[in-house]
Amino acid sequence: MKSMHALDIETVEMTFDIMKYAINRISNTEPELGHPKKETDLMKMVGETITKEGIGGEKAFELFRDVLAKATVPVDHPRHLAFVPAAPTRAAILFDLVTSAASVHGAYWMTGAGGIFCENQAMKWLVSLTGLPEKAFGVFTSGGTAANLSAMITAREYWRELNDENKAYKGLIITSSGAHSSIKSMANVIDADLILVDDDDEDRLTGEWLQKKINQLSFTDRKRLFAVVATGGTTNAGIIDDLESVADVCEKEKLWFHVDAAYGGGALAAPSVRHLFNGIERADSITIDPHKWLFSPYDCGAIIYKNIELAKNAHSQKGAYLDIFKDEGAQGFNPADYQIQLTRRLRGLPLWFSLAMHGTEKYAQAIERGLELAQIAAEKIKTRDYLELIRDPGLSCVLFKRKGWQPDDYIDWTYTNHQAGFALVTPTKWTKNGHSETAARFCFINPDTNEKDIEEILVTMQ
């Protein structure tokens, strides 16, 4: 019986087919904007693929290439402006292939020294963007949710160690009403309560609002409060909280200050808006997602700590089979010690290669382009009497509405453009002074998006 790992003619030919597909896909500047199909429809088209005898690599690959891949929506299409899309560089995508082919376990220096060295080079640059103290450092995670969760576990364990009495309390976290949904999920996972603070007139969490909420807490709730989560660029509107004043309150009240900059953190590299993040350098921990605005492929997040030893105290795992690294070369930075995942691939390696290839200046230019596209779109919206700009762009997010449209009109518009393979722009909800309305939303990440794309999308709203 032939081994699954045997290298035969079929495997070689399949390798060439897959590499050809990968090259074509990477070199395609405007991939097909696929759309999902019902599971029952896919089953009719594809059938059962996992069988006792196997269907063969050639058949399986054909099904993926010709049917299944077309039932997905590529995030790097220049007219994919929904959610927070992504635009990984070709260098990063190529090195994602290398990362998988290298088959390195990235949890420990013992097994991944060379790759972790590369990750740490990229991490040094990320940390430098934040302005955190010299000894601050971080580790790559699967995304913002894992990064936020890792940070809050670290914060909670630090709080518990401060006072044995704290171990008797269920923890409490304060964040803003505009915080990402992962903050609520994270609080549920660690069994902490969450209090939402209303935003100010500019829809930001400020130190004033935070202090008012803290002052309103009962004696017991104040004892339970251990962390505040601010946002460095909300995913809905690109809003950055008043990090400086929030940091003031956190220092005064001796609270862990975490900044979720999963989306907006990429803009730390853009000189034109760097000042909007003033105060982030005072955070105890920061989340940034390179797979959002730093041109890495999915999935790559990052968690950065002011004092990384606190993370090690919270996350380092012990096990008889882990304590075997005796030779001198095996001693080094172990990413598994600083976040929730023991099993991990070298998620930061594609970012490292792309940075090494292109340089940080080109990264800054590409991020500035996203900011510029948002301003261009806003100006184009203002010139059309059938459209209304809801608020000035926040980072690369633009909220606007079509006058006279109802919620179903936005949904129909999205569906029509997507089914035609033209664009994916989805509606959202915007709430102001207690009033909620449906709106259209652009999020510009891809520097390959151009003014013509914006013009043609806006025309479809006439």
Side-chain angles (χ1 to χ4, degrees):
M1 181 179 179
K2 184 174 68 174
S3 166
M4 290 191 298
H5 294 84
L7 183 62
D8 53 21
I9 296 298
E10 180 186 12
T11 304
V12 172
E13 290 178 348
M14 183 178 64
T15 301
F16 283 128
D17 286 343
I18 290 174
M19 293 307 297
K20 180 180 178 182
Y21 169 83
I23 291 169
N24 288 339
R25 176 62 182 81
I26 293 168
S27 61
N28 188 351
T29 58
E30 192 164 322
E32 182 177 344
L33 190 61
H35 49 83
K37 297 182 182 297
K38 293 193 301 183
E39 183 179 5
T40 52
D41 292 338
L42 288 174
M43 182 58 74
K44 289 177 183 177
M45 300 169 71
V46 173
E48 294 289 352
T49 58
I50 307 301
T51 66
K52 184 176 180 180
E53 299 299 328
I55 64 174
E58 183 178 357
K59 178 63 175 176
F61 179 63
E62 285 179 357
L63 289 173
F64 176 80
R65 180 191 62 201
D66 299 336
V67 180
L68 300 171
K70 295 179 180 179
T72 65
V73 182
V75 295
D76 59 344
H77 192 287
R79 290 191 297 278
H80 185 318
L81 304 178
F83 321 120
V84 178
T89 64
R90 288 166 179 79
I93 297 172
L94 284 168
F95 221 73
D96 203 33
L97 296 175
V98 173
T99 300
S100 294
S103 195
V104 176
H105 184 206
Y108 292 100
W109 190 265
M110 167 69 179
T111 56
I116 295 169
F117 174 87
C118 295
E119 283 192 319
N120 289 352
Q121 292 280 299
M123 181 57 68
K124 286 179 184 178
W125 177 67
L126 282 185
V127 174
S128 74
L129 297 178
T130 68
L132 284 168
E134 184 178 348
K135 292 185 179 180
F137 206 62
V139 63
F140 291 100
T141 67
S142 61
T145 299
N148 288 332
L149 177 57
S150 298
M152 286 300 97
I153 289 175
T154 300
R156 185 192 59 186
E157 294 308 299
Y158 173 64
W159 169 68
R160 285 175 170 175
E161 292 300 320
L162 285 175
N163 187 336
D164 284 341
E165 184 182 355
N166 291 341
K167 296 176 182 178
Y169 289 103
K170 181 179 181 180
L172 178 64
I173 301 168
I174 290 180
T175 191
S176 71
S177 57
H180 192 264
S181 59
S182 67
I183 304 301
K184 181 177 180 180
S185 298
M186 171 273 300
N188 287 335
V189 170
I190 67 172
D191 193 29
D193 288 327
L194 191 67
I195 292 179
L196 301 181
V197 176
D198 290 333
D199 305 319
D200 70 352
D201 290 339
E202 296 180 0
D203 304 298
R204 304 175 305 159
L205 174 64
T206 67
E208 179 183 0
W209 284 76
L210 174 60
Q211 188 67 66
K212 285 181 180 178
K213 179 59 68 173
I214 293 173
N215 293 343
Q216 293 168 2
L217 295 177
S218 67
F219 175 81
T220 300
D221 281 349
R222 180 59 189 88
K223 294 280 288 183
R224 299 196 299 129
L225 181 63
F226 70 93
V228 173
V229 178
T231 305
T234 60
T235 53
N236 198 39
I239 296 167
I240 301 170
D241 289 338
D242 185 357
L243 303 180
E244 197 79 76
S245 66
V246 172
D248 288 339
V249 175
C250 288
E251 289 178 6
K252 174 189 170 188
E253 299 286 345
K254 295 181 172 52
L255 297 170
W256 186 282
F257 177 33
H258 176 68
V259 179
D260 178 10
Y263 152 60
L268 290 167
S272 67
V273 295
R274 177 59 182 83
H275 64 284
L276 300 177
F277 294 87
N278 286 347
I280 198 170
E281 72 282 355
R282 299 166 64 186
D284 293 291
S285 53
I286 301 168
T287 289
I288 299 176
D289 272 3
H291 67 224
K292 287 187 170 72
W293 209 356
L294 290 173
F295 316 113
S296 290
Y298 284 105
D299 48 4
C300 180
I303 178 62
I304 300 170
Y305 302 97
K306 180 183 291 184
N307 183 348
I308 198 167
E309 288 304 307
L310 298 179
K312 188 173 184 179
N313 293 339
H315 293 287
S316 182
Q317 298 188 35
K318 307 298 180 185
Y321 71 99
L322 298 177
D323 190 23
I324 59 173
F325 309 149
K326 300 300 183 184
D327 65 276
E328 188 175 328
Q331 308 307 311
F333 184 83
N334 298 324
D337 287 340
Y338 306 99
Q339 40 84 50
I340 62 171
Q341 295 161 308
L342 177 60
T343 300
R344 72 182 290 276
R345 70 199 301 263
L346 292 167
R347 302 181 188 279
L349 210 49
L351 174 63
W352 164 79
F353 183 75
S354 185
L355 283 168
M357 177 175 175
H358 295 298
T360 60
E361 182 59 32
K362 285 196 175 172
Y363 264 68
Q365 292 170 2
I367 294 164
E368 291 282 10
R369 178 56 175 164
L371 297 165
E372 181 184 31
L373 286 168
Q375 297 297 329
I376 290 171
E379 291 305 314
K380 290 182 180 296
I381 290 165
K382 290 177 182 178
T383 63
R384 287 164 167 77
D385 57 9
Y386 59 93
L387 299 176
E388 180 181 337
L389 188 67
I390 290 178
R391 66 188 308 276
D392 289 336
L395 296 179
S396 65
C397 292
V398 184
L399 296 181
F400 63 103
K401 63 182 180 181
R402 170 61 161 86
K403 295 177 182 178
W405 272 14
Q406 300 301 311
D408 285 347
D409 295 316
Y410 289 95
I411 294 172
D412 291 342
W413 169 70
T414 296
Y415 176 80
T416 299
N417 282 339
H418 190 194
Q419 286 295 115
F422 170 64
L424 180 60
V425 185
T426 52
T428 188
K429 292 287 186 183
W430 175 248
T431 302
K432 187 73 174 179
N433 298 324
H435 173 68
S436 181
E437 63 179 334
T438 301
R441 173 182 170 276
F442 288 150
C443 185
F444 295 100
I445 294 291
N446 195 334
D448 287 337
T449 304
N450 57 47
E451 294 186 36
K452 183 181 178 184
D453 292 322
I454 298 170
E455 287 272 4
E456 292 180 350
I457 292 171
L458 294 179
V459 165
T460 65
M461 301 186 86
Q462 285 183 312

